[in-house]
Amino acid sequence: MKKEYRIEDWEDLSDTPEEFDAAIKNALTPNEKEFFEKLRFKELNETAASNDVLMNETDNSDGLYILRVGSDGILIGRNISDPKETTTPEEYAGIFLALQQDISQFVGRHVTLLEWLRQRDFKGIKYNQNNDYM
């Protein structure tokens, strides 16, 4: 049964209930659907003042990490092992803005964050790494 949320629940968030509903309805795989369902719950019910690690850089060969910051901020970056290489993490207001971003500066090929996650069927996403509760 779908939980109904009040408009007030969304007032301070960048993402909207309509975006989540569409993403869940149009998910290509069960893992994608789970990602949007769980992220909607997290945005509405769990703050992440100390960051919520959605993906650790050790969980993928590109070294990409994805953090949820605050309620709905998303920080994307890359673990750099070569000191000559530099990238700067980027923060976005909401998951839907972050998913549209070309992450070539982190993974070395033109792909949006959503395409990259779909290519791996959301493998490596964590739902229990909110540092506020650890």
Side-chain angles (χ1 to χ4, degrees):
M1 184 173 183
K2 180 179 165 185
K3 180 179 177 183
E4 296 297 323
Y5 294 102
R6 302 177 319 243
I7 287 293
E8 304 85 52
D9 295 336
W10 296 93
E11 283 180 351
D12 297 324
L13 300 176
S14 300
D15 297 319
T16 67
E18 294 80 15
E19 288 173 311
F20 275 105
D21 289 344
I24 292 165
K25 179 182 176 190
N26 298 314
L28 301 181
T29 67
N31 288 341
E32 183 173 342
K33 181 179 181 183
E34 177 184 33
F35 173 78
F36 288 115
E37 288 174 338
K38 288 191 175 182
L39 203 57
R40 174 178 58 189
F41 178 85
K42 285 176 161 294
E43 283 191 17
L44 291 170
N45 299 289
E46 295 178 8
T47 57
S50 302
N51 297 333
D52 186 356
V53 181
L54 298 176
M55 181 174 287
N56 192 301
E57 66 269 7
T58 59
D59 293 329
N60 63 88
S61 61
D62 289 314
L64 191 73
Y65 60 83
I66 306 169
L67 306 176
R68 186 172 63 94
V69 181
S71 294
D72 65 342
I74 300 293
L75 182 72
I76 303 168
R78 181 165 175 261
N79 183 20
I80 301 171
S81 56
D82 181 354
K84 294 180 224 160
E85 184 182 350
T86 60
T87 62
T88 302
E90 296 187 7
E91 187 170 355
Y92 301 97
I95 189 61
F96 294 100
L97 178 60
L99 290 171
Q100 297 171 19
Q101 302 307 307
D102 183 317
I103 58 170
S104 60
Q105 71 273 29
F106 302 120
V107 299
R109 61 191 182 282
H110 286 285
V111 63
T112 66
L113 180 59
L114 179 58
E115 292 166 336
W116 186 83
L117 287 167
R118 282 180 171 165
Q119 288 170 359
R120 49 187 301 104
D121 193 21
F122 293 78
K123 182 180 176 208
I125 292 291
K126 302 194 179 324
Y127 300 108
N128 60 351
Q129 298 294 306
N130 188 335
N131 290 316
D132 289 356
Y133 303 110
M134 297 184 77

